[in-house]
Amino acid sequence: MAKEGAQRAEETEQMIDKEGGREAAEGGAGGSLRAGDAKEMRAVVLSAFGGLNKLRVSKKAMPEPQEGELKIRVKACGLNFIDLMVRQGNIDNPPKTPLVPGFECSGIVEALGDSVKGFEIGDRVMAFVNYNAWAEVVCTPVEFVYKIPDDMTFSEAAAFPMNFVTAYMMLFEVANLREGMSVLVHSAGGGVGQAVAQLCSTIPNVTVFGTASSFKHEAIKNSVTHLFDRNADYVQEVKRISADGVDIVLDCLCGENTGKGLSLLKPLGTYILYGSSNMVTGETKSFFSFAKSWWQVEKVNPIKLYEENKVIAGFSLLNLLFKQNRGGLIKGVMDKLLNLYNSKKIKPVVDSLWALEEVKEAMQRIHDRGNIGKLILDVEKAPTPLMANDSTETSEAGEEEEDH
């Protein structure tokens, strides 16, 4: 392990030295990483809220770190279901377009803003970003950046923060998972679902019930205790195995599944809503789907919760980080998760790698629930010709639209 880490560090230093030398040869100031950088970068741009045709790869001005920020040369970016909802504008208080989507990435530290401590140029890192992650270069506050273990790849690092922090926070901080408990998790084949299954395996005698599309069952059957088809009557299946129900329900679907989840809770059980993917039925935002899901949600009666000794909760990692300023809490969670990774108790599951120019196809795979684990945008990956022609705009009209 130490030998691999030393070799990886040496490769990183050689990469930085090579880039610095190239910049010096091109007229950079002494080959410095701060000076001589190209002023433009490739980025995935969402021109307006809507369908896949609103995404394209364009040239944008390269950001520079402000005080307390790190500049990261991105190697890989994570795709999450929330990115589909952002594209559709199907979130509360969406930002103005055009914008660069994406909330997590991995790469190499290229420059340090003033007052940044604990990091050096050349460090391999993963980071949360408040949008703008799907680009060749990002800048983000130091409190959202974490060093990558020596044997973790950039793709694995881009698949790590969102999924594992979300899973850990829900299981241990909100629901207080302990030995002998039972958990029901929807979308068990997805990135969060697989993270939940792995973290549950670190606690003795935890029973995991999972729902997933039937074509995923063979691939993930060993990660959960009991696996059900997402379209089957999983409530009866769970009760057949555990008549009292379960201790924890993790729901990323919403709609009718809210009532089903609450009905499955044991006394003192906890239901956690952390997504609403049932509201995403088409390529664009649908008022009908939103209204249908809203009406299907069982209206919560506090008196009933009191009588049945049940807990209902919600969890949004992005709000916790960027609106509620809990970066310090998340830093502590990341330390625990990285210890579990270094102990080989958890490992990110990467479904597939996609070029920036293939972002439409990658998003469609998430929309179709086709992924097992995490989809990754590999910044250095060359696209297939057909996908590149479809997803990249270099015409004057495209540039004018971005400026507007």
Side-chain angles (χ1 to χ4, degrees), residues 48-197:
F49 298 119
L52 292 169
N53 64 330
K54 303 299 183 183
L55 290 166
R56 68 180 185 276
V57 175
S58 298
K59 293 286 187 180
K60 289 188 68 68
M62 185 180 295
E64 294 298 331
Q66 304 300 308
E67 183 175 359
E69 291 186 340
L70 291 173
K71 179 181 179 182
I72 302 171
R73 175 67 61 171
V74 177
K75 298 295 183 180
C77 321
L79 273 77
N80 300 282
F81 205 91
I82 186 66
D83 296 315
L84 272 71
M85 301 184 72
V86 168
R87 191 199 74 218
Q88 295 183 354
N90 204 359
I91 57 174
D92 287 335
N93 301 315
K96 294 181 179 180
T97 55
L99 61 88
V100 175
F103 298 101
E104 62 182 337
C105 66
S106 64
I108 298 174
V109 175
E110 193 168 85
L112 308 174
D114 293 339
S115 75
V116 170
K117 297 180 180 179
F119 291 90
E120 296 179 357
I121 292 173
D123 282 346
R124 301 170 68 249
V125 296
M126 52 187 162
F128 290 109
V129 188
N130 194 10
Y131 293 96
N132 299 308
W134 295 355
E136 290 182 314
V137 173
V138 300
C139 292
T140 193
V142 65
E143 65 177 317
F144 302 139
V145 184
Y146 318 92
K147 292 181 181 179
I148 300 175
D150 289 338
D151 59 342
M152 182 183 283
T153 67
F154 286 119
S155 297
E156 290 175 334
F160 195 84
M162 286 279 286
N163 290 348
F164 276 96
V165 171
T166 295
Y168 187 97
M169 290 292 296
M170 291 192 299
L171 289 172
F172 298 105
E173 298 291 334
V174 180
N176 193 22
L177 177 66
R178 301 182 302 281
E179 180 177 352
M181 282 188 164
S182 54
V183 178
L184 169 64
V185 58
H186 292 297
S187 300
V192 173
Q194 286 293 287
V196 166

Side-chain angles (χ1 to χ4, degrees), residues 12-66:
T12 300
E13 291 176 5
Q14 291 175 352
M15 184 186 312
I16 297 246
D17 291 341
K18 182 178 179 181
E19 291 184 1
R22 184 187 306 121
E23 289 163 4
E26 293 174 355
S32 167
L33 288 167
R34 289 180 182 271
D37 281 351
K39 297 303 181 183
E40 286 190 329
M41 64 176 184
R42 289 186 305 138
V44 176
V45 175
L46 179 67
S47 59
F49 298 119
L52 292 169
N53 64 330
K54 303 299 183 183
L55 290 166
R56 68 180 185 276
V57 175
S58 298
K59 293 286 187 180
K60 289 188 68 68
M62 185 180 295
E64 294 298 331
Q66 304 300 308

Side-chain angles (χ1 to χ4, degrees), residues 234-284:
Y234 62 85
V235 173
Q236 293 306 313
E237 292 291 331
V238 171
K239 288 186 174 180
R240 180 177 59 82
I241 299 169
S242 176
D244 293 338
V246 298
D247 296 291
I248 301 170
V249 174
L250 305 179
D251 181 12
C252 60
L253 304 178
C254 198
E256 62 181 353
N257 293 281
T258 299
K260 292 179 179 179
L262 286 171
S263 72
L264 281 172
L265 280 185
K266 294 179 181 180
L268 302 181
T270 303
Y271 163 93
I272 305 175
L273 180 69
Y274 71 100
S276 53
S277 64
N278 278 343
M279 295 184 183
V280 180
T281 56
E283 187 177 323
T284 58

